[in-house]
Amino acid sequence: YLPCHPPSHSSPPCSYYAPVDTVQHVAFPDGYPLLITSTASLHHLNRKLDKPVSMLRFRPNIVVEGCQPHQEDRFFDLAIGST
C-alpha cells in the first residue's frame, strides 16, 4: 500500500546539498515520490485540447485504469498485484 499524504509543494532544502546561508525550495516536480495518473484523466484532458497530448508528457510512475477522471487524486491506498 502507498499511503497518500499530501505533502507541501515547497519544502526546505536538505543542508547536505545546499549551503545553510542560501534560501532554496524544492520545486513542485521534486515534491512527490510518485506521480499517479489515470487513462481516464488523460482522456478527459484531451477532449478539451485542440491537439491531444501523450501520457508520456506527464512522466507518471504509475498509470491506473478503470476509474473516473481525477479519481486518483483522492486515492488513500493503492494495492499493486496481490501483495
Side-chain angles (χ1 to χ4, degrees):
Y1 291 95
L2 302 172
C4 183
H5 302 287
S8 66
H9 66 279
S10 180
S11 302
C14 173
S15 61
Y16 179 80
Y17 295 106
V20 176
D21 61 343
T22 62
V23 176
Q24 297 178 359
H25 296 281
V26 175
F28 178 78
D30 298 327
Y32 300 90
L34 292 174
L35 174 58
I36 302 172
T37 191
S38 70
T39 54
S41 294
L42 180 66
H43 294 312
H44 183 256
L45 171 65
N46 281 332
R47 282 195 300 270
K48 296 179 178 189
L49 300 176
D50 292 331
K51 182 179 177 185
V53 295
S54 164
M55 186 68 78
L56 296 176
R57 173 102 179 245
F58 301 99
R59 300 176 55 209
N61 302 93
I62 298 174
V63 178
V64 296
E65 294 183 338
C67 64
Q68 296 297 315
H70 309 290
Q71 188 176 2
E72 67 274 15
D73 295 340
R74 297 180 301 277
F75 285 174
F76 184 74
D77 292 322
L78 178 66
I80 299 175
S82 60
T83 59

